[in-house]
Amino acid sequence: MSNIPDSPPPAFSAVVGEQYDAGFLSAAEGGVGPSGSAYGTGAGSSATSIASASAARKWDDPPEEEPEEHHKQLPQPELENFTTMVFVGGQGMPSIPGREVQQLSFTPSGNHIVARISIDSNFISTSTDGYCTLQIWQLPSTKKLQIPTATHREIRVNGNFAATTRYGHADHTVFDVVVVGSRHVDIERGFKGTLVELFDLTREKRRQKAHAPLQAPFAFNPDGSLLASVSSRESSRIIISNVAGDSVQMSRLMPYHLAEVTQLRFTPDGKAVVSAARDGSLRLTSVVSGRTILKSELPVEHLRYDASLMEVKSGGEFAATVWGREVVMWDLKSGQLTTYGLDQVRQGMPEGWPLAISPDCCYLVCRTEDGFDVSDVTTGRFRGGHSTGGSPVTAAGFSHDSKWLAIGFFNGQTRLFNIVTV
């Protein structure tokens, strides 16, 4: 893939909103977004030159040949790719056979891996309510944890989960927490709503439980004290809750999207939330003031799919998102959108289906027909691939230092790979 350009193909312009929180924007280190050409088509000058040429020609003149440049093809990637990343190990972890792995995540501390798996066998369906459950492993031993719940034999999950690491200020303890949400019906009490639960993975117990109008997607701020989620009553609204104590206290409502919010993340400094909605809108909203800092919109032609993945660069420069087969980088200072299509940058390569972006916004892992591969998220440049054989890959997750990659399979297996760059 040596012929793939270092920068994505030309992108589209963004609609930038008012910047209410100038202090936050100035704090972004360097304020430089991902590499990519600036947007601008020069359509006005082209239209003028075409009109002039048409006026000078007569109806019976022979047709003009199109400019030679029009026939030039974009550089095609070579079939032989330069491998700069290899995957070592592939250690299998204790799992439940025949239950598809749907989501994988490392805790920021690197002490645990959490997987969302089907609550039923792949080939037998007894549940019609869309429930999943969690598998949790301790690292580096890969010991499987069993966290008891008061309500069910297994943790119940609707939608995705989020994991965080908290650091005790007094005793310097480190403990990992995962949050899940589920639909809950209590026939005896006549209650029907949503249940939010936080589990302490280090102490292997449930930490908090709340009947709150919150649902996935979930995201923690860096210190794990705040939780961003979507309202279960109106999915276009974001709710910020304080979860530092023994209860879930809703503290701020952000009702600014017009369509369902599908992805959200806190910025690395915890001062704002980045969110994406089904109508193609991207918003950066201050947690402190609750006001919009920045907003952009994807053009209609790029909205065939919802945003399925999102991560924010560790320095806060940009957010990387995936919308179907379009990879979009959103500069969090200027509002500029830079995009490329996976089909274009993967010409001559096996087809890839996006599974996860690394937390540092460096890499994108895709499922392939033979296994998986990893590319640079900002350019699509191939880094390395691995053939797994057998069951299809269905989930993936990077460690926060991008040194480890967990891969989940349709048959319920989860394998852990060490990433080595060369």
Side-chain angles (χ1 to χ4, degrees), residues 370-401:
D370 296 322
F372 66 89
D373 63 29
V374 174
S375 57
D376 288 333
V377 73
T378 55
T379 64
R381 181 180 292 278
F382 175 84
R383 296 301 301 272
H386 188 85
S387 178
T388 56
S391 184
V393 172
T394 54
F398 289 92
S399 64
H400 281 245
D401 59 6

Side-chain angles (χ1 to χ4, degrees), residues 25-361:
L25 294 179
S26 63
E29 296 181 5
V32 180
S35 60
S37 57
Y39 297 53
T41 61
S45 59
S46 299
T48 302
S49 60
I50 292 172
S52 300
S54 300
R57 286 179 45 76
K58 297 180 179 179
W59 69 270
D60 57 346
D61 285 344
E64 289 183 343
E65 292 186 2
E66 294 184 86
E68 184 179 351
E69 293 80 7
H70 183 79
H71 295 284
K72 286 185 177 180
Q73 301 293 322
L74 292 173
Q76 299 296 311
E78 296 179 356
L79 293 179
E80 293 185 1
N81 303 302
F82 288 111
T83 299
T84 58
M85 180 181 288
V86 294
F87 307 95
V88 180
Q91 175 185 3
M93 296 187 288
S95 59
I96 303 176
R99 292 167 65 172
E100 178 185 350
V101 181
Q102 300 178 359
Q103 181 188 354
L104 278 167
S105 180
F106 286 77
T107 58
S109 68
N111 293 333
H112 296 90
I113 296 177
V114 185
R116 187 181 83 239
I117 66 171
S118 172
I119 206 165
D120 288 327
S121 166
N122 291 337
F123 306 105
I124 300 176
S125 178
T126 59
S127 173
T128 59
D129 50 17
Y131 281 124
C132 295
T133 188
L134 297 184
Q135 282 192 125
I136 303 162
W137 297 275
Q138 191 179 63
L139 295 177
S141 67
T142 69
K143 171 189 173 185
K144 187 177 175 182
L145 303 185
Q146 296 289 348
I147 298 180
T149 68
T151 311
H152 309 287
R153 290 183 301 168
E154 299 177 298
I155 298 173
R156 291 202 170 189
V157 185
N158 286 116
N160 74 350
F161 64 85
T164 189
T165 299
R166 292 179 178 171
Y167 300 89
H169 297 292
D171 53 5
H172 302 288
T173 55
V174 177
F175 58 97
D176 291 336
V177 176
V178 64
V179 62
V180 299
S182 62
R183 292 185 290 271
H184 179 66
V185 178
D186 190 330
I187 298 177
E188 294 181 357
R189 299 180 182 179
F191 176 84
K192 183 178 180 181
T194 50
L195 177 66
V196 177
E197 298 175 283
L198 280 79
F199 294 92
D200 185 336
L201 308 186
T202 305
R203 298 176 176 86
E204 299 185 37
K205 66 178 183 179
R206 184 168 62 185
R207 179 182 179 90
Q208 290 155 286
K209 171 186 172 182
H211 295 290
L214 310 177
Q215 65 180 5
F218 295 106
F220 283 104
N221 71 337
D223 66 8
S225 63
L226 296 179
L227 176 68
S229 60
V230 171
S231 168
S232 60
R233 297 170 181 167
E234 176 49 67
S235 59
S236 64
R237 297 176 177 179
I238 298 170
I239 296 176
I240 306 297
S241 302
N242 190 319
V243 293
D246 296 328
S247 61
V248 178
Q249 300 289 334
M250 291 180 285
S251 60
R252 185 172 293 284
L253 176 69
M254 299 176 177
Y256 305 128
H257 282 285
L258 297 177
E260 178 184 350
V261 175
T262 59
Q263 293 292 323
L264 48 80
R265 290 289 187 276
F266 277 89
T267 53
D269 60 8
K271 295 181 179 179
V273 170
V274 183
S275 55
R278 298 190 68 177
D279 60 358
S281 61
L282 290 158
R283 302 188 77 98
L284 181 67
T285 309
S286 171
V287 174
V288 178
S289 67
R291 297 180 68 89
T292 299
I293 301 170
L294 196 65
K295 62 179 180 181
S296 296
E297 293 184 0
L298 274 69
V300 175
E301 60 267 23
H302 292 270
L303 293 181
R304 291 183 296 170
Y305 303 95
D306 300 337
S308 58
L309 302 173
M310 174 185 283
E311 294 292 347
V312 179
K313 184 71 173 175
S314 55
E317 298 96 333
F318 67 93
T321 60
V322 174
W323 306 68
R325 306 192 65 76
E326 296 285 329
V327 181
V328 179
M329 273 68 65
W330 186 35
D331 190 304
L332 296 182
K333 185 173 183 179
S334 67
Q336 177 175 291
L337 295 167
T338 306
T339 184
Y340 63 87
L342 285 174
D343 292 334
Q344 182 173 0
V345 299
R346 296 179 69 92
Q347 293 179 41
M349 290 177 57
E351 187 175 3
W353 293 265
L355 292 175
I357 300 172
S358 62
D360 58 6
C361 281

